[in-house]
């Protein structure tokens, strides 16, 4: 397999990628927020005069609703300006190479954890928080089929097969 494509910077795709990577951690925070809010409501019901009870409710609501958007916005602001120039992604039998004008990242398929396919992209996960986003839009139909077939043929990694989940 040898696929190479120019990928323009897409802020919305970057936002979806960050949201995808942070989703497990943010889900835990939302659940914790819900638990705190319910606990706070129970405390208010037991003693409406206790101001700390209201603080627990507010903290729970903050965790449940505001932390995710704040974290996403902060993560977007922390991205290097280098990525705004777009990149060239090259996929071959051994490597995923993402090359920006001022930086380059290479990942061996041998280190792959899993591949998650969505209608717009493939998330090629090398750990729980490290992923390469392979967009489908710049690929031809033949390249998409070739890459999908390649992912299906990948050998087991660390004693397990890299899952190819569809979302």
């Amino acid at each position: 397999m040898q696929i190479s494509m120019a990928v323009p910077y897409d802020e919305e795709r970057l936002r979806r990628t960050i949201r995808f990577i942070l989703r497990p951690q943010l889900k835990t925070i939302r659940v914790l927020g819900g638990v705190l809010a319910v606990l706070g409501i129970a405390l208010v019901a037991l003693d409406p005069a206790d101001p700390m009870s209201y603080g627990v409710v507010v903290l729970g609501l903050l965790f449940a609703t505001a932390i995710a958007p704040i974290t996403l916005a902060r993560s977007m602001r922390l991205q290097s300006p280098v990525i705004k120039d777009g990149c060239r992604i090259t996929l071959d039998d051994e490597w995923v190479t993402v090359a920006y004008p001022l930086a380059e990242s290479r990942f061996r398929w041998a280190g792959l954890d899993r591949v998650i396919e969505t209608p717009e992209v493939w998330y090629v996960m090398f750990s729980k928080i490290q992923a390469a986003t392979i967009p489908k839009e710049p690929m031809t139909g033949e390249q998409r089929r070739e890459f999908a077939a390649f992912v299906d043929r990948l050998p087991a990694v660390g004693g397990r097969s890299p899952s190819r989940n569809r979302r």
Side-chain angles (χ1 to χ4, degrees), residues 136-151:
K136 293 180 178 181
E137 183 185 324
M139 297 173 122
T140 65
E142 177 59 34
Q143 288 174 326
R144 288 180 193 173
R145 286 187 293 279
E146 181 181 7
F147 183 68
F150 174 78
V151 168

Side-chain angles (χ1 to χ4, degrees), residues 2-167:
Q2 181 68 34
I3 299 172
S4 185
M5 63 188 135
V7 179
Y9 174 72
D10 182 342
E11 187 171 319
E12 191 52 40
R13 182 175 48 235
L14 176 61
R15 188 179 310 280
R16 284 190 309 267
T17 299
I18 291 171
R19 192 177 298 125
F20 172 81
I21 291 171
L22 293 176
R23 187 184 64 220
Q25 293 84 4
L26 293 177
K27 182 179 179 183
T28 302
I29 290 171
R30 282 190 188 114
V31 168
L32 176 61
V35 168
L36 279 173
V38 169
L39 176 63
I41 291 169
L43 290 172
V44 168
L46 290 173
D47 185 7
D50 183 12
M52 191 168 104
S53 306
Y54 295 99
V56 172
V57 171
V58 170
L59 186 63
L61 293 174
L62 179 69
F63 274 39
T65 60
I67 296 296
I70 291 169
T71 302
L72 180 62
R74 181 169 164 78
S75 295
M76 289 292 292
R77 280 193 311 277
L78 292 174
Q79 296 300 308
S80 171
V82 167
I83 67 171
K84 293 187 178 177
D85 293 331
C87 66
R88 174 158 290 284
I89 297 177
T90 304
L91 309 168
D92 61 36
D93 292 332
E94 191 173 348
W95 295 94
V96 175
T97 305
V98 182
Y100 295 93
L102 298 175
E104 180 175 294
S105 295
R106 293 181 67 184
F107 305 93
R108 283 189 189 265
W109 290 112
L112 180 67
D113 184 36
R114 68 187 187 278
V115 177
I116 299 172
E117 182 179 3
T118 70
E120 300 88 24
V121 301
W122 282 280
Y123 293 111
V124 179
M125 305 294 295
F126 291 94
S127 72
K128 290 181 180 183
I129 60 169
Q130 187 174 22
T133 303
I134 312 296
K136 293 180 178 181
E137 183 185 324
M139 297 173 122
T140 65
E142 177 59 34
Q143 288 174 326
R144 288 180 193 173
R145 286 187 293 279
E146 181 181 7
F147 183 68
F150 174 78
V151 168
D152 286 339
R153 290 189 313 268
L154 285 171
V157 177
R160 61 180 190 226
S161 177
S163 61
R164 181 165 170 239
N165 304 323
R166 294 182 191 265
R167 291 184 63 219

